[in-house]
Amino acid sequence: MSSAVESAPRSPGRPRSIRADEAIIEAVLDLLAEGSTIESLSIEAIAARAGVGKATIYRRWSGKQALLVDALRTLKGQPPTPKGASVREDLVLLMRGVGRDTDPRANKIMPCLVPEVHRSPEQYAVYQEIVQPRRELTREVLRRGVRTGELRPDIDVELVALMLTGPVLMQKILNWSPDVDDRNLPERVVDTLLAGLTPR
Amino acid sequence: MSSAVESAPRSPGRPRSIRADEAIIEAVLDLLAEGSTIESLSIEAIAARAGVGKATIYRRWSGKQALLVDALRTLKGQPPTPKGASVREDLVLLMRGVGRDTDPRANKIMPCLVPEVHRSPEQYAVYQEIVQPRRELTREVLRRGVRTGELRPDIDVELVALMLTGPVLMQKILNWSPDVDDRNLPERVVDTLLAGLTPR
């Protein structure tokens, strides 16, 4: 963004280091959105784009991996907070957040990132660090549902988390099927999985 | 594979044109497995790799898109045939085929292909031509289940096909969650969706 972050005069409410951090995060997201792969992204390129020295980056982050985790968390924003009323409502709220990112660069970055995560253990670790906090919210709602009796006691929480998120993500990010009605998809996935397919 | 397909002597049971077709298909799959994107793949490169002239390719296929559909169908092999006994068994059979390709090059090609399909309407059309016949098998089993009463009459067949395939594909191709137990995943996805999550 600014090409002279380090030499800019300090403004009262916002210390120079915070502005530099933001410029560095923005530089990572801009480079990824422009088509850089995680693999080819270099600290040199990030520093040049942010208008800071490499030392400024290394003062704040241990390396590319830690910086990527912060940048992608910034991109995805805060996950929604379950309200705790009904399991159904909370699952719908969480699934509405799947594949929905407020930053417009996410549409460029996320579909390319998802397959990239498999190319190395480091990239897979970055991906897991980003999705785990969101996945934990889903797990907590499911465990609560088992406790309250809203859900069967024998459900496999990890499997159910996959069965909720997988269809929504596949359809939203990859447009898996042109024949699926996308309206209220999170609600319909949650309700179908809660009720099951066999007659009651 | 052979670099001199067109000049090779004709063998009795296998006309030259079929051997050339196979060499062309193999060339496409080799190039994709080596990291070529669909976008960068050229008829020139395919012809050179197969040891044929461009005219040989254009005699058989209308262009890159039609050739890609044939090559990727070859890669994926024949889908399994539902046995027609129970909806549960047939869905398990179909889901066992999701993300399982007999050709070892598929592990290199498919994870990269899936996000690529979104880059242009042509690529999306290729992808849909490959997955539609398999998706239709799933639809038919679901419709049959509604007729026999094994499934509720109000299910959304397209949504349910997504809810069966999405989780299996996400986990098998992208290893979405390291915490999901991968053993018997197709069976467990089918049984969980059939039964639902709420107590009966």
Side-chain angles (χ1 to χ4, degrees):
Chain A
M1 308 249 92
S2 163
S3 60
V5 170
E6 291 204 309
S7 58
R10 187 179 290 212
S11 67
R14 203 165 222 207
R16 189 174 65 180
S17 64
I18 291 181
R19 275 178 291 116
D21 286 2
E22 283 175 4
I24 293 162
I25 293 279
E26 289 299 309
V28 171
L29 296 178
D30 282 344
L31 290 167
L32 288 175
E34 287 162 16
S36 170
T37 62
I38 288 184
E39 220 164 354
S40 69
L41 199 68
S42 71
I43 295 290
E44 285 77 7
I46 297 164
R49 181 63 167 257
V52 304
K54 281 167 62 177
T56 304
I57 297 180
Y58 284 116
R59 263 200 300 278
R60 175 69 178 82
W61 289 279
S62 60
K64 190 169 95 172
Q65 194 169 334
L67 173 52
L68 268 170
V69 169
D70 272 5
L72 293 170
R73 280 199 179 143
T74 302
L75 179 75
K76 291 200 73 63
Q78 288 292 313
T81 307
K83 295 194 171 46
S86 83
V87 163
R88 190 248 172 210
E89 294 307 316
D90 280 349
L91 291 178
V92 169
L93 185 79
L94 291 172
M95 291 310 117
R96 278 197 193 130
V98 170
R100 192 179 61 182
D101 304 287
T102 43
D103 191 313
R105 287 171 296 192
N107 292 332
K108 296 272 184 196
I109 295 175
M110 295 313 286
C112 301
L113 183 77
V114 170
E116 255 204 90
V117 300
H118 242 180
R119 299 226 178 103
S120 76
E122 291 72 28
Q123 289 180 33
Y124 188 68
V126 167
Y127 179 60
Q128 291 302 322
E129 273 207 65
I130 295 155
V131 295
Q132 279 294 2
R134 288 160 186 269
R135 194 176 288 155
E136 185 56 24
L137 291 175
T138 304
R139 286 189 191 110
E140 282 166 12
V141 171
L142 292 172
R143 289 191 205 110
R144 193 185 84 215
V146 170
R147 282 198 305 274
T148 60
E150 286 164 272
L151 303 181
R152 304 153 62 111
D154 62 343
I155 63 165
D156 177 336
V157 166
E158 299 298 335
L159 179 71
V160 170
L162 171 68
M163 291 181 68
L164 288 164
T165 311
V168 179
L169 203 58
M170 286 274 296
Q171 187 64 12
K172 280 200 150 184
I173 289 201
L174 299 175
N175 195 16
W176 181 73
S177 169
D179 303 311
V180 168
D181 180 355
D182 286 339
R183 286 170 298 177
N184 305 321
L185 186 64
E187 285 85 338
R188 286 159 54 228
V189 165
V190 168
D191 287 336
T192 302
L193 188 53
L194 286 173
L197 303 182
T198 59
R200 299 212 167 203
Chain B
M1 304 263 104
S2 163
S3 59
V5 170
E6 290 203 311
S7 58
R10 187 178 291 213
S11 67
R14 200 163 224 207
R16 190 175 63 180
S17 63
I18 291 182
R19 276 179 291 116
D21 285 2
E22 283 175 4
I24 292 162
I25 293 279
E26 289 298 309
V28 172
L29 295 178
D30 283 344
L31 290 167
L32 289 175
E34 288 161 15
S36 171
T37 61
I38 289 185
E39 220 163 356
S40 69
L41 198 68
S42 70
I43 295 291
E44 285 78 6
I46 296 165
R49 181 64 167 255
V52 304
K54 281 168 62 177
T56 305
I57 296 179
Y58 283 116
R59 262 200 301 279
R60 174 69 178 81
W61 289 278
S62 60
K64 190 169 94 172
Q65 194 168 335
L67 173 52
L68 267 170
V69 169
D70 272 4
L72 293 170
R73 280 198 178 144
T74 302
L75 180 75
K76 292 200 73 62
Q78 287 293 313
T81 308
K83 296 193 170 49
S86 84
V87 163
R88 190 247 172 210
E89 296 308 314
D90 280 349
L91 291 178
V92 169
L93 184 80
L94 291 172
M95 290 310 117
R96 279 198 193 126
V98 170
R100 193 180 61 183
D101 303 286
T102 45
D103 192 311
R105 288 170 296 193
N107 292 332
K108 297 272 183 196
I109 294 174
M110 295 312 286
C112 302
L113 183 78
V114 169
E116 256 204 271
V117 300
H118 242 180
R119 300 229 177 100
S120 75
E122 290 74 27
Q123 291 181 30
Y124 188 68
V126 167
Y127 179 61
Q128 291 303 321
E129 273 208 65
I130 295 156
V131 296
Q132 280 293 3
R134 288 160 185 269
R135 194 176 288 157
E136 185 57 23
L137 290 176
T138 303
R139 286 190 191 108
E140 282 166 11
V141 171
L142 292 171
R143 288 191 204 110
R144 194 185 85 215
V146 169
R147 283 198 305 276
T148 61
E150 286 164 275
L151 303 181
R152 304 152 64 111
D154 62 342
I155 64 166
D156 177 336
V157 166
E158 299 298 335
L159 179 70
V160 170
L162 171 68
M163 290 182 67
L164 288 165
T165 311
V168 179
L169 203 58
M170 285 275 295
Q171 186 64 12
K172 279 199 151 187
I173 289 201
L174 299 175
N175 194 16
W176 180 74
S177 168
D179 303 311
V180 168
D181 181 356
D182 286 339
R183 286 170 298 178
N184 304 320
L185 187 64
E187 285 86 338
R188 288 158 53 228
V189 165
V190 168
D191 286 335
T192 302
L193 187 53
L194 286 173
L197 303 182
T198 58
R200 296 207 169 208

